Coordinates of all heavy atoms in Angstrom, one line a residue:
M1 N 14.3 18.0 41.1 CA 13.4 18.6 40.1 C 13.5 17.7 38.8 O 12.6 17.6 38.2 CB 13.8 20.1 39.9 CG 13.6 20.9 41.1 SD 12.1 20.7 41.9 CE 11.0 21.8 41.1
M2 N 14.7 17.3 38.6 CA 14.8 16.6 37.3 C 14.0 15.4 37.3 O 13.3 15.1 36.3 CB 16.3 16.3 37.0 CG 16.5 15.5 35.7 SD 16.2 16.6 34.3 CE 17.7 17.5 34.1
S3 N 14.1 14.5 38.4 CA 13.3 13.4 38.5 C 11.8 13.6 38.3 O 11.0 12.8 37.8 CB 13.7 12.6 39.7 OG 13.3 13.2 40.8
R4 N 11.4 14.7 38.9 CA 9.9 15.0 38.9 C 9.5 15.2 37.5 O 8.4 14.6 37.2 CB 9.7 16.3 39.8 CG 8.2 16.7 39.8 CD 8.1 18.0 40.6 NE 6.7 18.4 40.6 CZ 6.2 19.2 39.6 NH1 7.1 19.6 38.6 NH2 5.0 19.6 39.6
A5 N 10.3 15.9 36.7 CA 10.0 16.2 35.3 C 9.8 14.9 34.5 O 8.9 14.6 33.7 CB 10.8 17.2 34.7
Q6 N 10.8 14.0 34.8 CA 10.9 12.8 34.0 C 9.7 11.9 34.4 O 9.1 11.2 33.5 CB 12.2 12.0 34.3 CG 13.4 12.7 33.7 CD 14.8 12.1 34.2 OE1 14.8 11.6 35.2 NE2 15.7 12.4 33.4
K7 N 9.4 11.9 35.7 CA 8.2 11.0 36.1 C 6.9 11.6 35.4 O 6.0 10.9 35.0 CB 8.0 11.1 37.6 CG 9.0 10.1 38.3 CD 8.8 10.2 39.7 CE 9.8 9.3 40.5 NZ 9.8 9.5 41.9
S8 N 6.9 12.9 35.4 CA 5.6 13.6 34.8 C 5.5 13.2 33.4 O 4.3 12.9 32.9 CB 5.8 15.1 34.8 OG 4.8 15.7 34.1
I9 N 6.5 13.0 32.6 CA 6.4 12.6 31.2 C 6.0 11.1 31.2 O 5.1 10.7 30.4 CB 7.8 12.8 30.5 CG1 8.1 14.3 30.4 CG2 7.8 12.2 29.2 CD1 9.5 14.6 30.2
T10 N 6.7 10.3 32.0 CA 6.5 8.9 31.8 C 5.1 8.5 32.3 O 4.6 7.4 31.9 CB 7.6 8.0 32.4 OG1 7.6 8.4 33.8 CG2 8.9 8.2 31.7
T11 N 4.5 9.2 33.3 CA 3.3 8.7 33.9 C 2.1 9.4 33.3 O 1.0 9.2 33.8 CB 3.3 8.9 35.4 OG1 3.5 10.3 35.7 CG2 4.4 8.0 36.1
R12 N 2.3 10.4 32.5 CA 1.2 11.3 32.0 C 0.0 10.5 31.5 O -1.1 10.7 31.9 CB 1.7 12.2 30.9 CG 0.6 13.2 30.5 CD 1.0 13.7 29.1 NE 2.4 14.3 29.1 CZ 3.2 14.3 28.0 NH1 2.6 13.9 26.9 NH2 4.3 14.8 28.1
F13 N 0.2 9.5 30.6 CA -0.9 9.0 29.9 C -1.5 8.0 30.9 O -2.8 7.9 31.0 CB -0.4 8.2 28.7 CG 0.1 9.1 27.7 CD1 1.5 9.2 27.5 CD2 -0.7 10.0 27.0 CE1 2.1 10.1 26.6 CE2 -0.1 10.9 26.1 CZ 1.2 10.9 25.9
L14 N -0.9 7.3 31.7 CA -1.4 6.3 32.7 C -2.3 7.1 33.7 O -3.4 6.6 34.0 CB -0.2 5.6 33.4 CG 0.5 4.6 32.6 CD1 1.7 4.1 33.4 CD2 -0.4 3.5 32.1
D15 N -1.7 8.1 34.2 CA -2.5 8.9 35.2 C -3.7 9.5 34.7 O -4.8 9.6 35.3 CB -1.6 10.0 35.8 CG -0.6 9.5 36.9 OD1 -0.7 8.3 37.2 OD2 0.2 10.3 37.3
F16 N -3.6 10.0 33.4 CA -4.7 10.7 32.9 C -5.9 9.7 32.6 O -7.1 10.0 32.7 CB -4.3 11.4 31.5 CG -5.3 12.5 31.1 CD1 -5.4 13.6 31.9 CD2 -6.1 12.3 29.9 CE1 -6.4 14.5 31.4 CE2 -7.0 13.2 29.6 CZ -7.1 14.3 30.3
A17 N -5.6 8.5 32.1 CA -6.6 7.6 31.8 C -7.3 6.9 33.0 O -8.4 6.7 33.1 CB -6.0 6.4 31.0
E18 N -6.4 6.7 34.1 CA -6.9 6.0 35.3 C -6.2 6.5 36.4 O -5.2 6.0 36.9 CB -6.6 4.5 35.1 CG -7.4 3.7 36.1 CD -7.2 2.2 35.9 OE1 -7.2 1.8 34.7 OE2 -7.2 1.4 36.8
P19 N -6.7 7.6 37.0 CA -6.0 8.3 38.2 C -5.9 7.3 39.3 O -6.8 6.6 39.7 CB -6.9 9.4 38.5 CG -7.8 9.6 37.3 CD -7.9 8.3 36.6
A20 N -4.6 7.3 39.8 CA -4.3 6.4 40.9 C -4.6 7.1 42.3 O -5.0 8.4 42.2 CB -2.9 6.0 40.9
G21 N -4.6 6.5 43.4 CA -4.8 7.2 44.6 C -3.9 8.2 44.8 O -2.7 8.2 44.4
G22 N -4.4 9.3 45.4 CA -3.5 10.5 45.7 C -3.5 11.5 44.5 O -2.8 12.4 44.6
T23 N -4.2 11.2 43.4 CA -4.3 12.0 42.3 C -5.5 13.0 42.5 O -6.6 12.7 42.8 CB -4.3 11.2 41.1 OG1 -3.3 10.3 41.0 CG2 -4.3 12.1 39.9
T24 N -5.2 14.3 42.2 CA -6.3 15.2 42.3 C -6.7 15.9 41.0 O -5.9 16.3 40.2 CB -5.8 16.4 43.2 OG1 -5.3 15.8 44.4 CG2 -6.9 17.5 43.5
A25 N -8.0 15.8 40.7 CA -8.4 16.4 39.4 C -8.3 18.0 39.6 O -8.7 18.6 40.6 CB -9.9 16.1 39.2
V26 N -7.9 18.6 38.4 CA -7.7 20.0 38.4 C -8.3 20.6 37.2 O -8.1 20.0 36.1 CB -6.2 20.4 38.6 CG1 -6.0 21.9 38.4 CG2 -5.6 19.9 39.7
T27 N -9.0 21.7 37.3 CA -9.5 22.4 36.1 C -8.9 23.8 36.2 O -9.0 24.5 37.1 CB -11.0 22.5 36.1 OG1 -11.6 21.2 36.0 CG2 -11.5 23.2 34.8
L28 N -8.2 24.1 35.0 CA -7.6 25.5 35.1 C -7.7 26.0 33.7 O -8.1 25.3 32.7 CB -6.1 25.4 35.5 CG -5.2 24.2 35.0 CD1 -4.8 24.5 33.5 CD2 -4.0 24.0 35.9
T29 N -7.2 27.2 33.5 CA -7.2 27.9 32.2 C -5.8 27.9 31.7 O -4.9 28.3 32.4 CB -7.8 29.3 32.3 OG1 -9.1 29.3 32.8 CG2 -7.8 30.0 31.0
C30 N -5.7 27.4 30.4 CA -4.3 27.4 29.8 C -3.9 28.9 29.6 O -4.7 29.7 29.1 CB -4.5 26.7 28.4 SG -2.9 26.8 27.4
S31 N -2.7 29.1 30.0 CA -2.2 30.5 29.8 C -1.9 30.8 28.4 O -1.8 32.1 28.1 CB -0.8 30.7 30.6 OG -1.1 30.4 32.0
R32 N -1.9 29.9 27.5 CA -1.5 30.2 26.2 C -2.8 30.3 25.2 O -2.9 31.3 24.4 CB -0.5 29.2 25.6 CG 0.2 29.6 24.3 CD 1.4 28.8 24.0 NE 2.5 29.0 25.1 CZ 3.6 28.4 25.1 NH1 4.0 27.5 24.1 NH2 4.5 28.6 26.0
C33 N -3.7 29.5 25.4 CA -4.8 29.6 24.5 C -6.1 29.9 25.2 O -7.1 30.0 24.6 CB -5.1 28.2 23.8 SG -5.5 26.8 24.9
N34 N -6.1 30.0 26.5 CA -7.2 30.4 27.3 C -8.4 29.5 27.4 O -9.4 29.9 27.7 CB -7.6 31.9 26.9 CG -6.6 33.0 27.3 OD1 -6.1 32.9 28.4 ND2 -6.4 33.9 26.5
K35 N -8.2 28.3 27.0 CA -9.1 27.3 27.1 C -9.1 26.7 28.4 O -8.0 26.5 29.1 CB -8.9 26.2 26.0 CG -9.3 26.6 24.7 CD -9.1 25.5 23.6 CE -9.4 25.9 22.2 NZ -8.7 25.1 21.2
Q36 N -10.2 26.1 28.9 CA -10.3 25.4 30.2 C -9.8 24.0 29.9 O -10.1 23.4 29.0 CB -11.8 25.3 30.8 CG -12.1 26.5 31.6 CD -13.1 26.1 32.6 OE1 -13.8 25.1 32.5 NE2 -13.1 26.8 33.7
V37 N -8.9 23.6 30.9 CA -8.3 22.3 30.7 C -8.5 21.5 32.1 O -8.5 22.0 33.2 CB -6.7 22.4 30.7 CG1 -6.1 21.0 30.4 CG2 -6.4 23.5 29.5
T38 N -8.9 20.3 31.9 CA -9.1 19.4 33.2 C -8.0 18.4 33.1 O -7.8 17.7 32.1 CB -10.5 18.7 33.1 OG1 -11.5 19.7 33.1 CG2 -10.6 17.8 34.4
G39 N -7.2 18.3 34.1 CA -6.1 17.4 34.2 C -6.0 16.8 35.7 O -7.0 16.9 36.4
W40 N -4.9 16.4 36.0 CA -4.7 15.8 37.3 C -3.3 16.1 37.8 O -2.3 16.4 37.0 CB -4.6 14.2 37.2 CG -5.9 13.6 36.5 CD1 -6.0 13.4 35.2 CD2 -7.1 13.3 37.2 NE1 -7.2 12.9 35.0 CE2 -7.9 12.8 36.1 CE3 -7.5 13.4 38.5 CZ2 -9.3 12.4 36.5 CZ3 -8.8 12.9 38.7 CH2 -9.6 12.5 37.7
T41 N -3.2 16.3 39.1 CA -1.9 16.5 39.7 C -1.7 15.4 40.8 O -2.7 14.9 41.4 CB -1.8 17.8 40.4 OG1 -2.7 18.0 41.5 CG2 -2.0 19.0 39.5
S42 N -0.5 15.0 41.0 CA -0.2 14.1 42.1 C 1.2 14.4 42.5 O 1.9 15.2 42.0 CB -0.3 12.6 41.5 OG 0.8 12.3 40.6
A43 N 1.7 13.5 43.5 CA 3.0 13.7 43.9 C 4.1 13.5 42.7 O 5.2 13.9 42.7 CB 3.4 12.7 45.0
E44 N 3.6 12.7 41.7 CA 4.4 12.4 40.6 C 4.6 13.6 39.6 O 5.4 13.6 38.8 CB 3.9 11.2 39.9 CG 3.7 10.0 40.7 CD 5.0 9.3 40.9 OE1 5.6 8.8 39.9 OE2 5.6 9.2 42.1
G45 N 3.6 14.5 39.6 CA 3.6 15.5 38.7 C 2.2 15.9 38.2 O 1.3 15.7 38.9
S46 N 2.1 16.4 36.9 CA 0.8 16.7 36.4 C 0.5 16.0 35.2 O 1.4 15.4 34.5 CB 0.8 18.2 36.1 OG 1.7 18.6 35.1
A47 N -0.8 15.9 34.8 CA -1.2 15.2 33.6 C -2.3 16.1 32.9 O -3.2 16.6 33.7 CB -1.8 13.9 33.9
G48 N -2.2 16.1 31.6 CA -3.2 17.0 30.8 C -2.8 18.4 30.7 O -3.3 19.1 29.8
F49 N -1.8 18.9 31.5 CA -1.3 20.2 31.3 C 0.1 20.2 31.9 O 0.5 19.2 32.6 CB -2.2 21.2 32.0 CG -2.3 20.9 33.5 CD1 -1.5 21.5 34.4 CD2 -3.3 20.1 34.0 CE1 -1.5 21.3 35.8 CE2 -3.5 19.9 35.3 CZ -2.6 20.5 36.2
Y50 N 0.8 21.3 31.7 CA 2.2 21.4 32.3 C 2.2 22.8 33.1 O 1.8 23.7 32.6 CB 3.1 21.6 31.2 CG 3.3 20.4 30.4 CD1 2.4 20.2 29.3 CD2 4.3 19.4 30.4 CE1 2.4 19.0 28.5 CE2 4.5 18.3 29.5 CZ 3.5 18.1 28.6 OH 3.5 17.1 27.8
Y51 N 2.7 22.7 34.4 CA 3.0 23.9 35.1 C 4.3 24.4 34.5 O 5.3 23.7 34.4 CB 3.2 23.6 36.6 CG 1.8 23.4 37.3 CD1 1.6 22.2 37.9 CD2 1.0 24.4 37.4 CE1 0.5 21.9 38.6 CE2 -0.2 24.2 38.1 CZ -0.5 22.9 38.6 OH -1.7 22.8 39.3
V52 N 4.3 25.7 34.1 CA 5.5 26.3 33.5 C 6.0 27.4 34.5 O 7.0 28.1 34.0 CB 5.3 26.9 32.1 CG1 5.0 25.7 31.0 CG2 4.1 27.7 32.1
N53 N 5.3 27.6 35.6 CA 5.8 28.7 36.5 C 6.8 28.1 37.5 O 7.3 28.8 38.4 CB 4.6 29.4 37.2 CG 3.7 28.4 38.0 OD1 3.8 27.1 37.8 ND2 3.0 28.9 38.9
T54 N 7.0 26.8 37.5 CA 7.9 26.2 38.5 C 8.4 24.8 37.9 O 7.8 24.2 37.1 CB 7.2 25.9 39.9 OG1 8.1 25.2 40.7 CG2 6.0 25.0 39.6
G55 N 9.6 24.4 38.2 CA 10.1 23.2 37.9 C 10.6 23.2 36.4 O 11.0 24.2 35.9
Y56 N 10.7 22.0 35.9 CA 11.5 21.7 34.8 C 11.0 22.6 33.5 O 11.7 23.0 32.7 CB 11.5 20.2 34.4 CG 12.2 19.8 33.1 CD1 13.6 19.8 33.1 CD2 11.5 19.6 32.0 CE1 14.3 19.4 32.1 CE2 12.2 19.2 30.8 CZ 13.6 19.2 30.9 OH 14.3 18.9 29.7
F57 N 9.6 22.7 33.4 CA 9.0 23.2 32.2 C 9.0 24.7 32.2 O 8.5 25.3 31.2 CB 7.6 22.7 32.0 CG 7.6 21.2 31.8 CD1 7.3 20.2 32.8 CD2 8.0 20.6 30.6 CE1 7.4 18.9 32.6 CE2 8.1 19.3 30.3 CZ 7.7 18.4 31.3
V58 N 9.6 25.3 33.2 CA 9.8 26.8 33.1 C 10.5 27.2 31.8 O 10.3 28.4 31.3 CB 10.6 27.3 34.4 CG1 11.1 28.7 34.2 CG2 9.8 27.2 35.6
K59 N 11.4 26.3 31.3 CA 12.2 26.7 30.1 C 11.2 26.9 28.9 O 11.7 27.6 27.9 CB 13.2 25.5 29.9 CG 12.5 24.3 29.5 CD 13.6 23.1 29.6 CE 14.6 23.1 28.6 NZ 15.5 21.9 28.7
F60 N 10.1 26.5 28.9 CA 9.1 26.6 27.8 C 8.1 27.7 28.0 O 7.2 28.0 27.3 CB 8.3 25.3 27.5 CG 9.3 24.2 27.2 CD1 9.2 23.2 28.0 CD2 10.2 24.2 26.1 CE1 10.1 22.0 27.7 CE2 11.0 23.1 25.8 CZ 11.0 22.1 26.7
R61 N 8.3 28.4 29.2 CA 7.3 29.5 29.5 C 7.6 30.8 28.7 O 8.7 31.0 28.3 CB 7.6 29.9 31.0 CG 6.7 30.9 31.6 CD 7.2 31.2 33.0 NE 6.2 31.8 33.8 CZ 6.3 32.4 34.9 NH1 7.5 32.5 35.5 NH2 5.3 32.9 35.7
R62 N 6.5 31.4 28.4 CA 6.5 32.7 27.7 C 5.8 33.8 28.5 O 4.7 33.5 29.0 CB 5.7 32.6 26.3 CG 6.4 31.6 25.4 CD 5.5 31.5 24.1 NE 5.8 30.4 23.3 CZ 5.0 30.0 22.1 NH1 4.0 30.7 21.9 NH2 5.4 28.9 21.5
G63 N 6.6 34.8 28.8 CA 6.0 35.9 29.6 C 5.6 35.3 31.0 O 6.5 34.7 31.6
D64 N 4.4 35.6 31.5 CA 4.0 35.3 32.9 C 3.1 34.1 32.8 O 2.2 34.0 33.7 CB 3.4 36.4 33.6 CG 2.1 37.0 32.9 OD1 1.9 36.4 31.7 OD2 1.5 37.9 33.5
E65 N 3.2 33.2 31.9 CA 2.3 32.0 31.9 C 2.5 31.2 33.1 O 3.5 31.1 33.7 CB 2.8 31.1 30.7 CG 2.3 31.8 29.4 CD 2.8 31.0 28.1 OE1 3.8 30.2 28.2 OE2 2.2 31.2 27.0
V66 N 1.4 30.5 33.5 CA 1.4 29.7 34.7 C 1.3 28.2 34.3 O 2.1 27.3 34.8 CB 0.2 30.0 35.6 CG1 0.1 29.1 36.8 CG2 0.4 31.5 36.0
A67 N 0.4 27.8 33.5 CA 0.2 26.4 33.1 C -0.3 26.4 31.6 O -0.9 27.2 31.1 CB -1.0 25.8 33.9
I68 N 0.2 25.3 30.9 CA 0.1 25.2 29.5 C -0.7 23.8 29.3 O -0.2 22.9 29.7 CB 1.4 25.2 28.8 CG1 2.1 26.5 29.0 CG2 1.2 25.0 27.3 CD1 1.4 27.7 28.6
C69 N -1.7 23.8 28.4 CA -2.4 22.5 28.1 C -1.5 21.7 27.1 O -0.5 22.1 26.6 CB -3.7 22.8 27.5 SG -3.7 23.4 25.8
D70 N -1.8 20.4 27.1 CA -1.1 19.5 26.2 C -0.9 19.9 24.9 O 0.2 20.0 24.3 CB -1.7 18.1 26.3 CG -1.1 17.3 27.6 OD1 -0.2 17.8 28.2 OD2 -1.7 16.2 27.8
P71 N -2.0 20.3 24.2 CA -1.9 20.7 22.8 C -1.1 21.9 22.5 O -0.2 21.9 21.6 CB -3.4 20.9 22.3 CG -4.2 20.2 23.2 CD -3.4 20.2 24.6
C72 N -1.1 22.8 23.4 CA -0.3 24.0 23.3 C 1.2 23.6 23.5 O 2.2 24.1 22.8 CB -0.6 25.1 24.4 SG -2.0 26.0 23.8
M73 N 1.5 22.8 24.5 CA 2.9 22.4 24.7 C 3.5 21.5 23.6 O 4.5 21.7 23.1 CB 3.0 21.6 26.0 CG 4.4 21.3 26.4 SD 5.4 22.8 26.7 CE 5.3 23.1 28.4
W74 N 2.6 20.7 23.1 CA 3.1 19.9 22.0 C 3.3 20.6 20.7 O 4.0 20.3 19.8 CB 2.1 18.8 21.7 CG 1.9 17.7 22.8 CD1 2.8 17.5 23.9 CD2 0.9 16.8 23.1 NE1 2.4 16.6 24.7 CE2 1.2 16.1 24.2 CE3 -0.4 16.6 22.4 CZ2 0.3 15.2 24.8 CZ3 -1.2 15.6 22.9 CH2 -0.9 14.9 24.1
A75 N 2.7 21.8 20.5 CA 2.8 22.7 19.5 C 4.0 23.7 19.6 O 4.4 24.3 18.7 CB 1.6 23.5 19.2
D76 N 4.6 23.6 20.8 CA 5.8 24.5 21.1 C 7.0 24.0 20.4 O 7.3 22.9 20.6 CB 5.9 24.6 22.6 CG 7.0 25.7 22.9 OD1 8.2 25.4 22.9 OD2 6.5 26.8 23.3
S77 N 7.6 24.9 19.6 CA 8.7 24.4 18.8 C 9.9 24.0 19.8 O 10.6 22.9 19.5 CB 9.3 25.6 17.9 OG 9.6 26.7 18.6
G78 N 10.1 24.7 20.9 CA 11.2 24.2 21.8 C 10.9 22.9 22.4 O 11.8 22.0 22.6
Y79 N 9.7 22.6 22.7 CA 9.3 21.4 23.4 C 9.4 20.2 22.3 O 9.9 19.2 22.6 CB 7.8 21.5 23.8 CG 7.3 20.2 24.5 CD1 7.5 20.0 25.8 CD2 6.6 19.2 23.7 CE1 7.0 18.8 26.4 CE2 6.1 18.0 24.3 CZ 6.3 17.9 25.6 OH 5.9 16.7 26.2
K80 N 9.0 20.5 21.1 CA 9.1 19.4 20.0 C 10.6 19.1 19.8 O 10.9 18.0 19.6 CB 8.5 20.0 18.8 CG 7.0 19.8 18.7 CD 6.4 19.8 17.3 CE 6.3 21.2 16.8 NZ 5.4 21.3 15.6
Q81 N 11.5 20.1 19.8 CA 12.9 19.8 19.7 C 13.4 18.9 20.7 O 14.2 18.1 20.5 CB 13.7 21.2 19.7 CG 14.0 21.8 18.4 CD 14.8 23.0 18.4 OE1 15.2 23.4 19.5 NE2 15.2 23.4 17.3
E82 N 12.9 19.1 22.0 CA 13.5 18.4 23.1 C 12.8 17.1 23.2 O 13.4 16.0 23.7 CB 13.3 19.1 24.4 CG 14.0 18.5 25.5 CD 14.5 19.4 26.6 OE1 14.6 20.6 26.3 OE2 14.7 19.0 27.8
F83 N 11.6 16.9 22.9 CA 10.8 15.7 23.1 C 10.2 15.1 21.8 O 9.1 14.7 21.8 CB 9.6 15.9 24.2 CG 10.1 16.3 25.6 CD1 10.1 17.6 25.8 CD2 10.7 15.4 26.3 CE1 10.6 18.0 27.2 CE2 11.0 15.7 27.6 CZ 11.1 17.1 27.9
T84 N 11.0 15.2 20.8 CA 10.5 14.6 19.5 C 10.1 13.2 19.6 O 10.9 12.4 19.9 CB 11.7 14.7 18.4 OG1 12.0 16.1 18.2 CG2 11.1 14.2 17.1
P85 N 8.8 12.9 19.5 CA 8.3 11.6 19.8 C 8.4 10.6 18.6 O 8.3 9.5 18.8 CB 6.9 11.8 20.2 CG 6.5 13.0 19.5 CD 7.7 13.9 19.3
S86 N 8.6 11.1 17.4 CA 8.6 10.2 16.2 C 9.2 10.9 15.1 O 9.4 12.1 15.0 CB 7.2 9.9 15.9 OG 6.5 11.0 15.4
Q87 N 9.5 10.2 14.0 CA 10.1 10.7 12.8 C 9.0 11.6 12.3 O 9.5 12.7 11.5 CB 10.3 9.5 11.8 CG 11.6 8.8 12.2 CD 12.8 9.7 12.0 OE1 12.8 10.5 11.1 NE2 13.8 9.5 12.8
H88 N 7.7 11.4 12.4 CA 6.8 12.2 11.8 C 7.0 13.7 12.2 O 6.9 14.6 11.4 CB 5.4 11.9 12.2 CG 4.3 12.6 11.7 ND1 3.9 12.6 10.4 CD2 3.3 13.4 12.3 CE1 2.8 13.4 10.1 NE2 2.5 13.8 11.3
Y89 N 7.1 13.9 13.5 CA 7.4 15.2 14.1 C 8.6 15.8 13.6 O 8.7 17.0 13.1 CB 7.4 15.2 15.6 CG 6.1 15.5 16.2 CD1 5.3 14.4 16.5 CD2 5.6 16.7 16.5 CE1 4.0 14.6 17.2 CE2 4.3 17.0 17.1 CZ 3.6 15.9 17.4 OH 2.4 16.0 18.0
A90 N 9.7 15.0 13.4 CA 11.0 15.5 12.9 C 10.8 16.0 11.5 O 11.5 17.0 11.2 CB 12.0 14.4 13.0
Q91 N 10.0 15.4 10.7 CA 9.8 15.8 9.4 C 9.0 17.1 9.3 O 9.2 17.9 8.4 CB 9.1 14.7 8.5 CG 10.1 13.5 8.2 CD 9.3 12.3 7.8 OE1 8.1 12.3 7.7 NE2 10.0 11.2 7.6
E92 N 8.1 17.3 10.2 CA 7.3 18.5 10.2 C 8.1 19.8 10.6 O 7.8 20.9 10.3 CB 6.1 18.4 11.1 CG 4.9 17.6 10.5 CD 3.8 17.6 11.4 OE1 3.9 18.0 12.5 OE2 2.7 17.1 10.9
K93 N 9.1 19.5 11.4 CA 9.9 20.6 12.0 C 10.8 21.3 10.9 O 11.4 20.5 10.2 CB 10.8 20.1 13.1 CG 11.4 21.1 14.0 CD 12.2 20.4 15.1 CE 13.3 19.7 14.7 NZ 14.0 18.9 15.8
N94 N 10.7 22.6 10.8 CA 11.5 23.2 9.8 C 12.0 24.5 10.4 O 11.9 24.9 11.4 CB 10.8 23.3 8.5 CG 9.5 23.9 8.7 OD1 9.2 24.7 9.6 ND2 8.5 23.6 7.8
Ligands
ZN101 ZN1 -3.6 25.7 25.6

């Protein structure tokens, strides 16, 4: 499960921009903001959203959420703590 999560992170942008073979387009509703999200799933993981009902990202789940869109996940304080991408985010965190 750990390797699946790591692959999901590293391949997210590549898969989203140019889906490779075996990638499936998915439209779902974000459990947090209720907006429709179009993303991709593949054997490598998901892109454009995060499944939080199974696998690594369960740790960021609130209540009975199933899937979270990128903007919601990036706004999650726990996620930011773990995946701080830049000094800019670190400075915003308080
Ligand atoms: Zn959302």
Side-chain angles (χ1 to χ4, degrees):
M1 295 313 270
M2 183 65 84
S3 66
R4 179 180 176 277
Q6 288 169 342
K7 283 179 182 174
S8 171
I9 293 162
T10 54
T11 62
R12 180 198 312 150
F13 299 107
L14 291 173
D15 283 355
F16 197 70
E18 192 174 328
T23 305
T24 306
V26 176
T27 300
L28 48 75
T29 302
C30 174
S31 297
R32 196 162 292 179
C33 68
N34 289 319
K35 286 182 185 163
Q36 272 212 335
V37 186
T38 300
W40 306 94
T41 61
S42 75
E44 301 284 295
S46 65
F49 62 89
Y50 299 78
Y51 285 117
V52 292
N53 61 339
T54 180
Y56 182 77
F57 294 102
V58 166
K59 64 198 289 185
F60 302 117
R61 186 185 200 193
R62 299 177 193 170
D64 59 355
E65 291 175 337
V66 175
I68 302 297
C69 70
D70 274 353
C72 283
M73 187 58 94
W74 295 341
D76 188 279
S77 59
Y79 181 86
K80 277 198 283 194
Q81 261 183 359
E82 185 152 343
F83 297 101
T84 299
S86 70
Q87 281 295 325
H88 180 69
Y89 269 93
Q91 285 164 4
E92 279 184 348
K93 196 173 65 183
N94 47 32

